[in-house]
Amino acid sequence: MSLLIKNIKQLVTCAGRSRIPRAGKKQSDIGLIENGNIFIEKGKISFAGNISGLKKFLSSNTDTKYDILDASDKVIMPGFVDSHTHFVFAGSRENEYEMRLAGKSYEQIAKAGGGIISTVKALREIPKKALKEQAEDRLEKFVKYGTTTLEGKSGYGLDLGNEIKTLEIMKELNEENRYSLDIVSTFLGAHSVPPGIKKSDYVKEISHNMIPIIAKENLATFIDIFIEKNYFDTEDADLIFTMGKRFGLIPKLHTDQFNSVGGTDVAINHGAVSVDHLEVLSDEDIEKLVAFNKSRENRKIIATVLPGVSYFLDIPYAPARKLIKNNVPVALATDFNPGSCMTENMQMIMSLASLRLKMSAEEIINAVTANAAYALMMEDKVGSIEAGKQADLLIFDMPSYKYLFYNFGVNNLEKVFKKGKVVYSSK
Ligand code: NIG
Ligand code: FE
């Protein structure tokens, strides 16, 4: 049955396909409609707008049987798009969290056998079925806080079989999960060098063995690399991205988390869709991003900022204000993973962006909807409330969208719609 949601106190649409991604001053354009209305048919939005628009729409629409939901004291916005996570993993690392509180750094813990490699051991040991169940269970928390589209990376397998195991789980979950979430897969074979292998041999293994098989089996859309001291460098990235692109995988990257390591140049040379992390991004690299984006008619590079990592590891925050001031479009994501940001809660990330990155409410909302959809090349389907897009909507029981930042640490979400169906309800 179709659905009319009417009298919405504040309808935040983020609409305007041609204006995505939003950068600079336009990152504040959230397409707010007071007293808005939405009509949903077959899982898609067929109308979103004010009352006079609705009257016109209804008079010409053939679908005359529909349910009605009154939202006169509610705020509605697009479902959140979490464009950077590592949600398929085994085990947990609360022991490392304690070590960090006792003064050890992320780097020191990794050197002592903790870090990414400890999760690799756990993932290699667990059977696929159990790993999949754990991953699917995590989806409930994402949905509960408003995420309706989710990216996930491999990178805790670090050998062909276990990378495929991870990517197959995400592919299967995308085809069928109990919340109908869209799940987008990224191959992150270059997350860490596995123990017992020379880095140059592992880079060859990724380039000549893993990439062709993963691409042929259609197991990933994107290819990612962790460019960082003691992990992978720009030369490794050149080899891996060159091969990845040859097989149709689209580059994204982790860079400048702890050290300024030249990832911006790699992103520009390979036309990446996003550069992620950027905690220690230099002014010079911001200028390069600006120049590159200016020169591009088509896809811009999105800066995906992950304030949950800065909070959780107690490291610097990315220069989000400088990026916005310089017209680089910014997205925000959780980076949910067991080592550097153990939260599925996008609202928590939004609160950090407000208080720590000094982003405005409007900038943040675009960063978790339209711009994040663009970072996954899904802006035609999700990330805004407008005719033709999927009916992925969040209904908040609160007086204004600004209240979301003010009333922090609790969940004001009342309902989550994914493809027109209620997938979470607080009552
Ligand atoms: O995005 N930076 C590299 N990878 C993850 C952390 C992975 C882990 O510690 O398990 C990240 O922060
Ligand atoms: Fe990450």
Side-chain angles (χ1 to χ4, degrees), residues 84-86 151 153 156 188 191 224 226 254 257 276-277 306 309 334-337 340:
H84 181 143
T85 88
H86 308 246
E151 185 259 12
K153 301 175 196 295
Y156 292 121
L188 177 59
H191 196 192
D224 197 340
F226 184 25
H254 284 68
Q257 181 178 2
D276 301 24
H277 273 287
L306 313 165
V309 173
T334 58
D335 194 16
F336 172 65
N337 76 77
S340 71

Side-chain angles (χ1 to χ4, degrees), residues 190-297:
H191 196 192
S192 185
V193 179
I197 301 182
K198 252 180 42 201
K199 188 180 77 163
S200 55
D201 289 339
Y202 186 54
V203 170
K204 276 189 206 136
E205 165 69 10
I206 292 175
S207 306
H208 299 292
N209 195 23
M210 294 187 183
I211 287 173
I213 294 173
I214 284 161
K216 194 169 139 264
E217 300 290 324
N218 234 328
L219 287 172
T221 305
F222 298 104
I223 182 158
D224 197 340
I225 303 177
F226 184 25
I227 305 183
E228 185 54 64
K229 238 168 97 187
N230 300 326
Y231 292 84
F232 297 90
D233 58 30
T234 53
E235 277 172 39
D236 305 323
D238 274 334
L239 288 172
I240 291 171
F241 280 162
T242 301
M243 212 51 170
K245 286 195 299 183
R246 199 170 292 166
F247 282 88
L249 301 173
I250 301 157
K252 270 183 171 291
L253 46 128
H254 284 68
T255 190
D256 294 13
Q257 181 178 2
F258 301 106
N259 299 283
S260 180
V261 281
T264 306
D265 292 320
V266 176
I268 287 170
N269 291 340
H270 290 277
V273 286
S274 69
V275 276
D276 301 24
H277 273 287
L278 315 178
E279 286 84 341
V280 298
L281 185 69
S282 67
D283 288 352
E284 206 185 324
D285 280 340
I286 295 180
E287 275 165 33
K288 287 182 190 166
L289 283 174
V290 173
F292 178 78
N293 277 351
K294 257 198 200 141
S295 74
R296 290 265 281 196
E297 281 296 310

Side-chain angles (χ1 to χ4, degrees), residues 140-189:
E140 184 182 344
K141 285 192 195 159
F142 280 105
V143 171
K144 187 174 170 182
Y145 293 99
T147 295
T148 51
T149 298
L150 183 65
E151 185 259 12
K153 301 175 196 295
S154 67
Y156 292 121
L158 308 186
D159 61 29
L160 182 64
N162 285 294
E163 286 293 297
I164 286 183
K165 174 165 96 177
T166 311
L167 292 166
E168 277 180 353
I169 287 173
M170 286 191 276
K171 189 177 183 187
E172 288 164 23
L173 287 176
N174 180 47
E175 282 155 12
E176 192 175 337
N177 66 76
R178 57 186 105 112
Y179 308 102
S180 307
L181 291 195
D182 286 294
I183 294 172
V184 182
S185 300
T186 299
F187 171 48
L188 177 59

